[in-house]
Amino acid sequence: MTKHYTIPFFVLHKGCPFKCIFCDQNSITGEENVTPDKVPKKIDKYLSTVSSQDAEVDVGFFGGTFTGLKKEEQIAFLDPVQKYIKSGQIKGVRLSTRPDFIDAETLRMLKDLGVRCIELGVQSISDKVLKDSRRGYTSGDVKNASSLIKEYGFILGHQMMLGLPSSDWEAEYLTARAAKDLGAEEVRIYPTLVIKNTELADRWHQTKYVPLDEAEAVERSAKLILYFSSEGIKVIRCGLHASVDLLSGEGMLAGPFHEAFRSKAESRIFYFLLEYIKGSMHSKNKEITLRYNPRDEADFFGFGRENIGIITAICGKAQTERDEKVPKGALSAEVGNKTMIVERSIILSKILKRR
Ligand code: SF4
């Protein structure tokens, strides 16, 4: 199976005239700002560690508003990548930018320079949430940018945030549905954290903003992962990258940060499946066997084995077995001669309605 890698470069606040209330890029990424002359060295170093036979490697420019840079600066970053694309060592470039910095002329230039995926920092489709987060664009900009990106044949990615001021589950679910309707093929989900030296930090100090607690952020993320996977949309990240600042707590004041946030969300999805089995198999005092795909073992038992309680509640005399035949992400439950395969699609509508 082909493995996919991205060599990440962080273009911090470059070209970004905004100051969104949650953003202090240095704290969030913990990465050094990159300059074009540093690009080839890092690509060479990275490629020397990857076997190109079964790998597809992209170069990524993240962190800022890439298309907000002057045209010459964008070219200066993309130029050094060209020889690697021509030689086939690099498949293409992915970059992140804001929805209001997309136009046809820029897209034509990016296409010619090997960009194949554009991630829009959408954050929310609710105009109220966008306004309250001082994002400086509207849902109309998100729609226009998304259609133009698709029209020019790029892979479209959407980044969305959970727990922004004025946001709630309904707004976040609508944001996810908008990603699907607008043709996003990939998404990143970021729970909002309160980072030092931001306006959100001031609001938090004044008790005007309360971040999501971890359980709620995990719950919403799990529901969104379920939704996106049912629509064939890849969730390429859930939870912020664990920078040194975040790990040490230096840069972060509050919010649902966890090093293994994605695992917690995946564990929660198995909890939803287990709840469904518990509610539908009337298994009290009966022998029941739960089978899971071996690749799901960690998520089935849950982060820190947090699903053990419900597993034991389902099968008093708990029997669990690994089974390659169980589809990845699903569970099989056997009572007597009755076996039920519980796929994620079975629980989707019920879970999405849950508050
Ligand atoms: S647009 Fe992006 S880089 Fe600029 S302040 Fe907002 S989050 Fe930060």
Side-chain angles (χ1 to χ4, degrees), residues 11 13-18 63-69 96-98 101:
V11 189
H13 262 289
K14 277 263 189 182
C16 181
F18 299 94
T65 304
F66 192 87
T67 54
L69 295 171
S96 65
T97 197
R98 288 170 51 98
F101 278 79

Side-chain angles (χ1 to χ4, degrees), residues 13 16 18-20 22-23 25 63-65 98 135:
H13 262 289
C16 181
F18 299 94
K19 190 95 176 102
C20 303
F22 50 80
C23 176
Q25 292 262 322
T65 304
R98 288 170 51 98
R135 288 291 286 168

Side-chain angles (χ1 to χ4, degrees), residues 145-156:
S146 298
S147 344
L148 213 49
I149 289 169
K150 294 294 286 181
E151 193 183 315
Y152 276 83
F154 294 92
I155 296 170
L156 172 67

